Amino acid sequence: MEKKNYQKELDAVIAGFPAGTRPTLLLQGCCGPCSSYVLEYLTNHFDVTLLFYNPNIRPEAEYDKRLAALKELLAKMSTASPVKLLEPGWRGEEFMTAVQGLENEPEGGARCAVCFQVRLGETARLAAEGGFDFFGTTLTVSPHKDAPLLNDIGFALEREFGVRWLPSDFKKRNGYLRSIQLSKEYGIYRQEYCGCGLPVCGLPESIDNSGAEE
């Protein structure tokens, strides 16, 4: 089966907007570095509200550090349109309940799939509740995250909640490299592990990182 190109799917979505319109987007942001390029790109086309819902981040002090870095980015970086920030607070117990029994799974394993489901599920719920046109995530900018899996989850949640999922693979067209450049330019803290630290996350070997330039 031919692999889907989610960047091209995103291009098609944006190309379908009527001239002069700016749909609303609730974007789950995992951290400042990953949000940087994605916001630079998407604020040209959407009115973006960034949702910092990441109950996987442990310990709470690390959550606070990443939230502070995200706020610093939003204060320093110019975007094509203003970005609102929605932050419900650290809810680490929600993640631990969801991944009970999966604590010893490796990075990229079953625990990650549950983590994606938790974060995107809450994003979809809040997007439906808030009347947003789309919901999406910055997670696909990372070469260490399974973009096909994230998009599969997103489309399933679209059917469940009735809010359009924004397909993406933001690492395409050197999005990940751009995020590194922007983080350095603005002096934004870059974390050394994904979040849950159960154990401290290394880099998965099973994810296809090819095609970042497409």
Side-chain angles (χ1 to χ4, degrees):
M1 182 182 297
E2 184 178 355
K3 291 172 60 176
K4 291 185 177 181
N5 188 318
Y6 293 103
Q7 175 62 55
K8 291 183 178 179
E9 290 193 17
L10 174 56
D11 290 341
V13 169
I14 292 173
F17 295 163
T21 63
R22 293 181 58 84
T24 55
L25 168 65
L26 185 62
L27 181 69
Q28 186 268 332
C30 56
C31 63
C34 287
S35 298
S36 60
Y37 162 72
V38 179
L39 291 175
E40 180 183 65
Y41 174 23
L42 291 181
T43 55
N44 289 292
H45 309 286
F46 297 87
D47 288 335
V48 180
T49 297
L50 191 64
L51 171 66
F52 191 74
Y53 173 69
N54 296 289
N56 59 304
I57 298 175
R58 302 177 65 82
E60 187 175 0
E62 177 68 17
Y63 176 95
D64 292 338
K65 190 172 184 179
R66 296 187 195 187
L67 175 59
L70 180 59
K71 290 180 177 179
E72 181 182 3
L73 173 74
L74 294 178
K76 290 181 176 180
M77 188 174 78
S78 297
T79 53
S81 58
V83 177
K84 298 177 183 177
L85 178 62
L86 180 60
E87 192 274 308
W90 188 67
R91 287 149 56 174
E93 72 286 347
E94 294 180 5
F95 173 75
M96 292 306 297
T97 298
V99 301
Q100 188 172 3
L102 301 173
E103 292 87 350
N104 294 319
E105 282 286 313
E107 170 75 357
R111 188 176 69 246
C112 290
V114 174
C115 180
F116 297 160
Q117 183 71 43
V118 168
R119 288 193 274 177
L120 295 187
E122 180 66 357
T123 307
R125 185 189 71 80
L126 290 173
E129 184 180 276
F132 286 83
D133 298 311
F134 289 86
F135 75 102
T137 182
T138 65
L139 284 164
T140 64
V141 78
S142 171
H144 312 305
K145 295 293 181 286
D146 189 335
L149 175 58
L150 284 160
N151 281 283
D152 284 348
I153 293 171
F155 281 120
L157 290 167
E158 175 186 282
R159 294 188 293 271
E160 180 179 351
F161 288 94
V163 181
R164 289 185 68 182
W165 164 250
L166 190 69
S168 69
D169 192 351
F170 291 119
K171 67 177 175 288
K172 301 287 187 180
R173 299 174 185 165
N174 293 318
Y176 179 64
L177 294 178
R178 179 59 177 159
S179 73
I180 294 174
Q181 293 170 352
L182 288 168
S183 298
K184 290 181 178 179
E185 178 180 344
Y186 294 113
I188 303 301
Y189 165 66
R190 291 180 59 84
Q191 63 272 10
E192 296 182 356
Y193 65 103
C194 176
C196 64
L198 297 172
V200 170
C201 299
L203 303 183
E205 298 177 354
S206 59
I207 297 174
D208 182 3
N209 298 330
S210 64
E213 74 287 351
E214 295 175 11

